Each structure stands twice: as C-alpha cells, then as structure tokens.
Amino acid sequence: MSNTGPAPCSRSWSISEDSLRRYVHFASESCIQELLSASDSNRIGNVGNDGWKILTDLDNGVEISKRRSGSFHTFRSRWLLRSVSPQQFITVANAIDAAKQWEPDLVEARYIKDLEDNLSIIRLRFGENSKPLFRNREFIVYERRETMEDGTLVVAVASLPKEIAAGLHPKQNNAIRGLLLQSGWVVEKLEDDSCMVTYVVQLDPAGWLPKCFVNRLNTKLVMIIENLKKLAQGCPADGDK
C-alpha cells in the first residue's frame, strides 16, 4: 500500500478486536510467505532471477543479500549455526531481542495485546540517548510465530498501519512513529542439532531510515547475527518454550 502523502498526526482508526485479529492474521500470513520465499531462493537447484544481490559472503557461513523494489530495500542474512538447535535459537528470534540488538537504548518493550496464543501486538520505544537513527522512535508491531508441517519455525514481525496503531496506542510526547514494513526469521533444522537461519528485514527509507545508512546495513546485520547466536548458545539445549 503506497502513501500519497504524510498522514495527519491525529488520524486514527477505531477497530474491534475481531477485525484487528482478522487483519493481523491476514497481514502476517503474507509476511510468513514472503519470509519462506526469501529463505528458499538462490539455493542449489533453485537459482533464479529473483533480484537478490549478495553483498557479503563470509567464511563462517554468513551471507548478506539485498533486494530493491522502488524505494524499498529488503535485506536478507543467512547463516549456519552449528550445535545450536532450532528450539534454542527460536527463544531469541523475537521482536524485543532483535530491537535490543539494533539499538541497546530500548526504554520500553511491552506486549499491548495477545490476539492468539502465537500472535501478539508489541510496543517498542527507544529513548533520547539512542543513536540518531532510533532516537525517540517508537514502533507498534505484530509478532506471529508458526511451525510449518516440515518442522520449520517462522517468526514474522512488522508494523501495524499507522492509523490502526494510533487507535490502539496514541503516540505520546515527542515520540516519532517508525515503520517496519517486514521482518522475521525462518529457522530450519539440520543434522547434529544445528540449524539454518534466515533473517529478513524490509525498511521504509522515507519513514525512518536515511538512505545514506542503507549501504552500511550489511555490517550491522553481521553484528546482530553474532549477538543473537551468543544469546541462543546460552539457552538450554532442550529450549522449548
């Protein structure tokens, strides 16, 4: 959905919980399918002209790719985690832990509403001491967690439309409402309690990401991968929630 111009700050939609659940379920299903498609592309036997351009291919098995559609940039990181089970990693594959890796000055991370057992609405707010990219930004996102028939674990995280977010949680003080178009993880089980992880994030440069920062995201993603890996390694080996 494209915007024709900036929406007034006071604009909000009142929406019933049932309508909210139906909307978020539909939006998150689309996000899950995009994540699965991104995790499956450019593999051996599945190489196609899908627009992904490899930016970084490290010796430790980490690959960073980018795809552009108009003004939107989608980044994908894939890496092999040896001796880390999917159940271990999935404990850190969530909106709050990821937000802390992007910017440690996360002053609020709160579950606003649980729509289903695996579907929640979360508020993320960064403080005045954050780096300029995140300073005083807040995000109202959904988080959906699913297990596919083959055992693949998927976590989808994205912003609610600003009008719906304003109806659920009006913007406060001098906070700036950010926009995360799409993000999430696909975690696939391998032999020997190892797993293959794909992390995808699509950002809105006009909304909160300066274009000059886009080319540095591959370095940031490598750091995020390493930090989440360390967190996962500290989780119990049988780490079912």
Side-chain angles (χ1 to χ4, degrees), residues 43 80-81 84-87 150-153 186-197 237:
R43 295 189 178 180
L80 172 63
L81 294 184
V84 176
S85 71
Q87 288 73 24
D150 64 355
T152 297
L153 305 174
V186 177
V187 186
E188 301 165 82
K189 180 176 176 57
L190 302 176
E191 296 179 355
D192 302 324
D193 276 335
S194 298
C195 61
M196 177 69 72
V197 176

Side-chain angles (χ1 to χ4, degrees), residues 90-102:
I90 206 68
T91 61
V92 300
N94 60 74
I96 294 174
D97 280 327
K100 290 177 181 177
Q101 299 308 319
W102 282 100

